[in-house]
Amino acid sequence: MKKTYKIIIYVAIAVLIIGLLGILPFIINWIYSQKAPSDFFVTLFDTSDFLVYYASALSFLGTLILGVLTLVQNKRAQEKTNEINQLQLELQKKSMVLAEERYEKEEDSSIIPKFAISVSSYSGHYLNPRIKIQNVSGLIVSNLTFISGCVKTADGEVLRNVTNNKFKNKSLTPNGETILDLEMLNLSKRTGDREYIFYENVDFILEFSVEDEKYKKHYFRAVLHIPTTKDFVNDLWKVEKVG
């Protein structure tokens, strides 16, 4: 009922605006046909000048409204895209949990993809790190999929979460490598002019999945231990197949 009422209001407003657009030129023409009550209302413009101004103003107003509507539609589309991406991410996390629970580690290691992972660079104190992932197995892997990423203390407290990610390539040949760009806040706290507090003994945890040549999905967890976030650590991550 409430939605129907809103539709009626919108339709009524649209009809009113269209009606005003139609009769306004006649109103302007009638006003100019009347005798001016004082010299203040006497102008050097004729009716056509005001009609041109009126048309230009309406054109600007229409462009403005169209621009606002476009922005609103783009915002809604982006929100819907983000919602879909979040749902897909949640499904990936649940699939990984289920795969990890069912995983049997007696699987033949020769058919398991293997990776060498390291931090390639970051903007400072691990802000928006760039991760290099190299396929060190003899298998072709595809559909590299980010599942989750975070930094935890030794007590398991989550310090930072990865908020966005982008793979340069999602398929790798043997010895092929790709770059994973992550969006994440820096691992430090600013206390003054060029003074920071850093974290010690934290773990950078990355979870992802791939598909092998037979389209079988494999889940991995990679961990990088960081003694202090003040220093750049280029050690290889400890990569474990978990599902």
Side-chain angles (χ1 to χ4, degrees):
M1 183 69 181
K2 188 175 181 180
K3 185 176 180 180
T4 304
Y5 178 75
K6 286 184 178 180
I7 294 176
I8 294 175
I9 294 296
Y10 293 150
V11 171
I13 293 174
V15 171
L16 179 61
I17 293 175
I18 293 173
L20 287 175
L21 293 178
I23 66 174
L24 194 55
F26 298 100
I27 294 176
I28 294 174
N29 183 68
W30 178 80
I31 291 174
Y32 267 81
S33 66
Q34 305 301 310
K35 184 178 179 180
S38 67
D39 292 341
F40 176 79
F41 294 99
V42 176
T43 67
L44 299 178
F45 303 106
D46 56 23
T47 306
S48 61
D49 294 326
F50 273 88
L51 288 177
V52 170
Y53 170 78
Y54 165 70
S56 300
L58 288 179
S59 176
F60 168 76
L61 182 61
T63 303
L64 180 63
I65 293 174
L66 182 61
V68 171
L69 290 176
T70 301
L71 288 175
V72 171
Q73 291 295 331
N74 288 341
K75 182 180 179 182
R76 290 181 178 176
Q78 185 61 46
E79 289 175 350
K80 183 61 67 175
T81 300
N82 292 340
E83 183 180 346
I84 292 173
N85 290 339
Q86 187 62 33
L87 288 174
Q88 290 177 339
L89 188 58
E90 291 299 325
L91 288 175
Q92 287 286 348
K93 289 181 179 179
K94 290 180 180 178
S95 298
M96 182 169 182
V97 171
L98 292 174
E100 190 172 357
E101 291 176 351
R102 297 194 301 262
Y103 177 52
E104 296 181 1
K105 296 189 177 181
E106 292 79 12
E107 189 175 0
D108 185 358
S109 61
S110 64
I111 60 174
I112 299 177
K114 296 180 177 64
F115 301 94
I117 301 176
S118 60
V119 178
S120 175
S121 63
Y122 52 68
S123 299
H125 304 165
Y126 293 88
L127 171 68
N128 297 334
R130 170 168 283 189
I131 311 299
K132 183 175 74 172
I133 301 177
Q134 183 179 13
N135 176 17
V136 294
S137 67
L139 304 173
I140 297 175
V141 298
S142 61
N143 196 25
L144 270 163
T145 303
F146 172 88
I147 296 177
S148 69
C150 67
V151 177
K152 291 184 178 181
T153 65
D155 298 329
E157 177 189 358
V158 177
L159 290 177
R160 298 288 186 270
N161 279 307
V162 173
T163 56
N164 204 356
N165 68 93
K166 182 180 181 181
F167 277 102
K168 184 177 180 180
N169 299 307
K170 289 196 171 187
S171 298
L172 296 176
T173 57
N175 295 318
E177 61 182 44
T178 186
I179 292 295
L180 172 60
D181 288 316
L182 303 177
E183 289 185 11
M184 186 180 75
L185 294 176
N186 56 301
L187 294 175
S188 62
K189 288 184 179 179
R190 189 166 186 172
T191 58
D193 186 20
R194 297 188 177 182
E195 294 183 358
Y196 297 88
I197 294 177
F198 299 96
Y199 301 99
E200 296 184 352
N201 295 319
V202 298
D203 289 331
F204 197 158
I205 303 171
L206 178 66
E207 295 178 335
F208 63 98
S209 66
V210 298
E211 291 182 1
D212 61 22
E213 299 167 348
K214 297 181 179 180
Y215 303 104
K216 180 180 179 180
K217 183 169 286 191
H218 303 267
Y219 293 88
F220 295 88
R221 180 178 294 113
V223 180
L224 174 67
H225 181 70
I226 304 174
T228 172
T229 58
K230 181 180 180 180
D231 300 327
F232 176 78
V233 178
N234 60 356
D235 297 341
L236 290 178
W237 297 44
K238 180 181 178 182
V239 184
E240 180 185 11
K241 184 177 179 338
V242 296

